[in-house]
Amino acid sequence: MRRIAAAAFIVLAMAWPSAAAPFQTEQPQETLVREIGARLRCPVCQSENILDSQSGTAREMIVMLREQLAQGRTEAEIVEYFRSRYGDYVLLSPPVSGFGGIIWIVPPILLVMAGAAYLLLVRRSADKAGRVAHDAQPHEPLNEQSLRRLEL
Amino acid sequence: MTLLASQRPAIPRWKWLLGAAVVAIPLLLGIGLTKDPSFIPSMIVGRTMPDFSLEPLSGEAKVASEKLLGKPLVINFWASWCVSCREEHPLLVQLGDRADLFDEFEIVGINYRDSPVAAAQFLDRQGHFPYPSGQDKRGRLGIDFGVYGMPETFFVDAQGVVQARQVGPLTPQAIEQNLKLIGALR
């Protein structure tokens, strides 16, 4: 009986840590802070997001981000808040609509155009090759008459 | 000669296109290189300026936007840690005297991300502004104005609409031009 109790105790003791609540080292909203922070460009840096930047302005923007999330603002509202102050510049990836859309739309269009041009060129050269081959084929076998004509 | 020229085969169109691309792409890249990558186009020009009410650097009265309404307004963001602020400092002092003298416009300073002690030392050394400065210790007002460098100066008309923004030190030309823009010159 003692042994069983001891075994049960050991099993329980080993199971205890995993049964405990998972470690919580930060507020749940911090995930969202990081997500939004990674999308926003630090205005006083070059191509660095406000999450990575050590600048005072970026630090303050992160603080504002937290405050606004705590107030229940949505991600879109917060991004718009900073966009209305710093413009599209503050977005690390340009918006899909408006002028920024050009950056997204042009490369696929160029790719399709290049593909079409390539196909066209290939077909044209294949046509040419085909015509040459066709011309080279004699309509009738050489005979004495045609040889004469060639010799003049 | 003319016969020979006419005999030369026409250059195919795709070669023209390729040639144009070879010229155009480096040209566009070259133009891109001459641009300043840290320049941010202003969102605030053409908009109503954000409201503010800041602790003054010295004295008691708050530096508040509502007290400044109804007249053209110059807002100068400065800091003691900003080197090029020293460059425009004499011009700002002059501009402040002018605002006092002619009553055509208001001018106010915003001490941006600075400590009051350092700011006071800076003013003792460079000369005091004849107008008040509000403290924007954490730079929040700066974010509202879309400030990204020091110094920056905003020119606001009597209706409270921001008409111009000067990034970097002011020049006499910039001052005249922008004062005209906000109707501060008659």
Side-chain angles (χ1 to χ4, degrees):
Chain A
M1 189 60 203
R2 225 189 223 177
R3 270 194 187 169
I4 293 170
F9 176 77
I10 289 168
V11 167
L12 264 179
M14 282 166 75
W16 194 255
S18 61
F23 284 114
Q24 188 141 23
T25 52
E26 61 174 23
Q27 297 287 317
Q29 67 159 22
E30 279 303 287
T31 320
L32 204 52
V33 168
R34 274 201 305 273
E35 266 175 36
I36 304 174
R39 284 179 56 196
L40 295 175
R41 169 148 62 167
C42 157
V44 299
C45 324
Q46 303 230 340
S47 304
E48 199 175 20
N49 65 38
I50 59 170
L51 197 67
D52 297 338
S53 170
Q54 295 299 314
S55 77
T57 303
R59 300 281 97 197
E60 193 59 30
M61 281 169 79
I62 290 282
V63 173
M64 294 171 92
L65 193 60
R66 282 203 188 100
E67 284 174 6
Q68 297 197 4
L69 274 176
Q71 284 163 18
R73 292 225 203 168
T74 66
E75 177 170 350
E77 280 169 350
I78 295 170
V79 168
E80 187 51 39
Y81 174 86
F82 288 113
R83 209 173 72 90
S84 68
R85 282 155 179 76
Y86 286 105
D88 287 346
Y89 179 93
V90 85
L91 308 174
L92 270 173
S93 53
V96 183
S97 62
F99 182 75
I102 294 172
I103 297 162
W104 293 100
I105 291 168
V106 166
I109 289 179
L110 278 180
L111 202 67
V112 168
M113 272 169 63
Y118 176 74
L119 280 180
L120 215 69
L121 277 176
V122 166
R123 183 170 298 170
R124 199 181 285 171
S125 65
D127 270 2
K128 210 182 274 173
R131 208 176 302 131
V132 169
H134 187 186
D135 287 350
Q137 201 171 39
H139 292 285
E140 49 195 57
L142 274 179
N143 53 25
E144 205 178 342
Q145 203 186 348
S146 60
L147 276 175
R148 282 259 161 74
R149 203 171 63 220
L150 283 172
E151 274 175 7
L152 291 170
Chain B
M1 184 63 203
T2 46
L3 194 70
L4 265 178
S6 70
Q7 291 286 312
R8 198 175 292 153
I11 300 170
R13 189 183 292 166
W14 67 270
K15 276 195 180 164
W16 280 114
L17 281 174
L18 192 71
V22 164
V23 174
I25 291 172
L27 199 71
L28 287 173
L29 289 177
I31 291 171
L33 278 178
T34 62
K35 288 183 148 190
D36 178 5
S38 62
F39 176 77
I40 308 176
S42 179
M43 292 298 284
I44 201 172
V45 172
R47 290 214 208 156
T48 308
M49 73 164 179
D51 290 332
F52 55 87
S53 177
L54 302 173
E55 290 297 327
L57 205 52
S58 59
E60 296 288 306
K62 284 209 169 197
V63 177
S65 51
E66 56 179 17
K67 288 189 232 161
L68 301 161
L69 289 176
K71 238 193 239 183
L73 172 65
V74 179
I75 303 176
N76 173 253
F77 282 79
W78 65 279
S80 66
W81 46 262
C82 147
V83 178
S84 48
C85 291
R86 282 168 221 175
E87 210 174 297
E88 63 171 8
H89 200 90
L91 283 175
L92 282 168
V93 174
Q94 268 179 31
L95 199 63
D97 287 338
R98 185 166 151 188
D100 274 347
L101 209 61
F102 296 106
D103 208 32
E104 290 167 331
F105 58 95
E106 293 280 351
I107 178 167
V108 75
I110 308 289
N111 184 224
Y112 178 76
R113 300 190 69 87
D114 209 349
S115 84
V117 176
Q121 281 172 351
F122 176 87
L123 292 180
D124 285 344
R125 206 167 45 230
Q126 302 288 325
H128 284 257
F129 294 125
Y131 52 84
S133 280
Q135 296 181 40
D136 184 21
K137 272 194 184 167
R138 308 182 68 178
R140 294 242 166 155
L141 188 65
I143 289 175
D144 276 344
F145 272 88
V147 161
Y148 65 88
M150 283 294 108
E152 282 194 32
T153 309
F154 296 86
F155 293 82
V156 186
D157 67 16
Q159 284 72 48
V161 178
V162 181
Q163 294 294 347
R165 166 208 218 183
Q166 168 84 11
V167 177
L170 285 167
T171 60
Q173 295 88 337
I175 290 175
E176 294 313 312
Q177 194 186 331
N178 291 327
L179 282 183
K180 205 179 285 171
L181 210 59
I182 57 173
L185 296 180
R186 274 179 278 265

